[in-house]
Amino acid sequence: MAWTSKLPAAVDALVAAFTDWPGIGGSSVVVRDGPSDSQATVQEVVTVGWTGGENENGADAVLATEGLGDPSREQFTIRCVAAVLRGTSDIAKARQRAYELLSEAGSAIAADRRLGGSVMRAWISSHSLDPQLTPQGAQAVVTFEVSCDAYTGA
């Protein structure tokens, strides 16, 4: 069997988990797998594996050997975004909703820390807030990182 990284399977599992989670995919929130070519403006979006930053990777991985004959240990971070756009200048409501989406994402991960068996453990390891006032209204973007611990495929 060829060597394989578990990162792509983990990204797929996150997209599925967020899409299936009632507080995200079961609502008016758009879940995106990486960048989108859609020109439509969305009010609420959770994006997996892409932040929109020009010089930022969607994910990073580090490999380590786990002894003789054992598969390699893989630790990686998948960057995600929860973004909310309001038609008003109420930045507090945009920020509050963006953090509600982060909480829902955390709950979806906590419900299956193994991400469908693609990893040994997944968790939200960091987050940051970027509030802005745009011509379309208040926008709050919470970038968060999902860290994962896995073994690569043999």
Side-chain angles (χ1 to χ4, degrees), residues 27-57:
S27 64
S28 62
V29 180
V30 174
V31 177
R32 289 188 174 153
D33 182 353
S36 171
D37 60 1
S38 172
Q39 297 299 316
T41 300
V42 294
Q43 300 297 312
E44 299 180 345
V45 63
V46 173
T47 304
V48 178
W50 187 69
T51 64
E54 288 184 25
N55 296 319
E56 198 166 309
N57 294 328

Side-chain angles (χ1 to χ4, degrees), residues 8-137:
V11 170
D12 292 345
L14 278 175
V15 171
F18 294 162
T19 300
D20 294 342
W21 193 252
I24 301 175
S27 64
S28 62
V29 180
V30 174
V31 177
R32 289 188 174 153
D33 182 353
S36 171
D37 60 1
S38 172
Q39 297 299 316
T41 300
V42 294
Q43 300 297 312
E44 299 180 345
V45 63
V46 173
T47 304
V48 178
W50 187 69
T51 64
E54 288 184 25
N55 296 319
E56 198 166 309
N57 294 328
D60 293 305
V62 176
L63 303 172
T65 303
E66 276 286 306
L68 296 174
D70 287 339
S72 296
R73 188 75 166 264
E74 186 175 29
Q75 295 168 327
F76 49 86
T77 301
I78 302 167
R79 289 179 189 81
C80 303
V81 169
V84 173
L85 176 65
R86 291 286 180 248
T88 68
S89 61
D90 192 341
I91 196 71
K93 284 191 178 181
R95 179 179 57 243
Q96 178 182 1
R97 180 62 179 145
Y99 271 92
E100 287 172 3
L101 291 177
L102 174 64
S103 178
E104 293 292 343
S107 295
I109 293 167
D112 179 13
R113 292 216 181 267
R114 299 200 59 220
L115 299 180
S118 62
V119 301
M120 292 186 301
R121 186 167 181 259
W123 65 97
I124 292 179
S125 56
S126 70
H127 58 86
S128 61
L129 171 66
D130 181 17
Q132 299 178 16
L133 286 176
T134 72
Q136 292 80 31

